[in-house]
Amino acid sequence: LASGIIAVVRLTQPVSLEAAARTLAGAGVRAFEITLTTPGALDAIARLAGSASLGECLVGAGTVLDERSAEDVIAAGARFVVSPTLNPGVLRLCRDKDVVCMPGALTPTEILAAWHAGAQVVKLFPASAVGPRYLKDVLAPLEFLRIVPSGGVTLDNAGDWIRAGAAAVSVGTDLVNAATVREGAEAELAARARAFVDRVAEARRELAGGGRGG
């Protein structure tokens, strides 16, 4: 959560992600979530997790729907596991393997249930259906929760989510897409990543200087 950004890779074609991951890391985005809907996801996770050039970057897996899939991604090297919903079996498996699990939830009841089940971080999904004001209202009585919105996070609203209390933001196609991971697009990807890092850092400075915004 240090950089405040998780780059979510959800592509329709298998591509090499090593260069894109190095570019993102160099720009300050050091957590990568490879969704299992991406062709070749397990191989991509294994390659990134085993890359010495990525140093302390975190490689995780997304859209993990069951325990078998969780076992597979952890065996491939995933250090965090993300799901669109709460699956207690997946959460227990990750806890036993000492891997962070971030289940998805939307309502206050679902979010709190995920926390009670042992989730240290909860994914607010689909975040685009509710918006930053919703997160602020949820956290008013539940400020101990660490919530990461996912789905519809853009450069325009990333700072709003942080000011509303998000521990970090998961950013998909507005940062990582077929165009930005292609060969020769490193400069564009780096610029986008730095812009996100700056927006999150600016929002955090505002919070430190005077509490949550609207």
Side-chain angles (χ1 to χ4, degrees):
L1 303 179
S3 71
I5 300 167
I6 300 171
V8 181
V9 179
R10 186 183 298 277
L11 302 172
T12 58
Q13 299 292 329
V15 298
S16 176
L17 295 171
E18 286 91 334
R22 287 193 295 270
T23 298
L24 289 168
V29 177
R30 302 179 185 276
F32 319 116
E33 174 191 332
I34 315 298
T35 67
L36 290 186
T37 55
T38 298
L42 284 177
D43 182 60
I45 291 168
R47 286 178 178 275
L48 294 185
S51 175
S53 64
L54 292 178
E56 294 301 312
C57 294
L58 289 178
V59 179
T63 321
V64 179
L65 304 180
D66 51 50
E67 293 169 70
R68 175 60 183 273
S69 297
E71 289 179 341
D72 289 343
V73 299
I74 292 171
R79 294 176 62 189
F80 64 95
V81 169
V82 184
S83 303
T85 59
L86 170 61
N87 183 316
V90 170
L91 192 56
R92 284 193 298 270
L93 175 67
C94 290
R95 185 170 60 243
D96 292 343
K97 299 285 188 178
D98 196 27
V99 171
V100 173
C101 182
M102 188 163 68
L106 183 63
T107 69
T109 299
E110 293 170 349
I111 294 169
L112 194 59
W115 181 79
H116 279 302
Q120 296 174 307
V121 185
V122 181
K123 166 181 171 176
L124 178 65
F125 178 79
S128 59
V130 287
R133 178 71 195 197
Y134 175 83
L135 176 59
K136 182 181 179 182
D137 290 344
V138 168
L139 288 175
L142 303 170
E143 60 182 9
F144 54 88
L145 295 173
R146 291 194 291 182
I147 298 178
V148 176
S150 179
V153 176
T154 67
L155 186 60
D156 289 336
N157 64 28
D160 294 333
W161 283 111
I162 296 297
R163 284 186 287 271
V169 292
S170 288
V171 185
T173 55
D174 209 46
L175 177 59
V176 181
N177 54 58
T180 60
V181 299
R182 75 183 190 281
E183 186 177 354
E186 292 83 4
E188 178 186 354
L189 180 60
R192 288 190 183 211
R194 284 192 294 268
F196 271 101
V197 169
D198 289 345
R199 291 290 173 89
V200 168
E202 179 184 7
R204 285 177 167 177
R205 285 193 296 269
E206 291 177 16
L207 284 179
R212 288 183 181 143

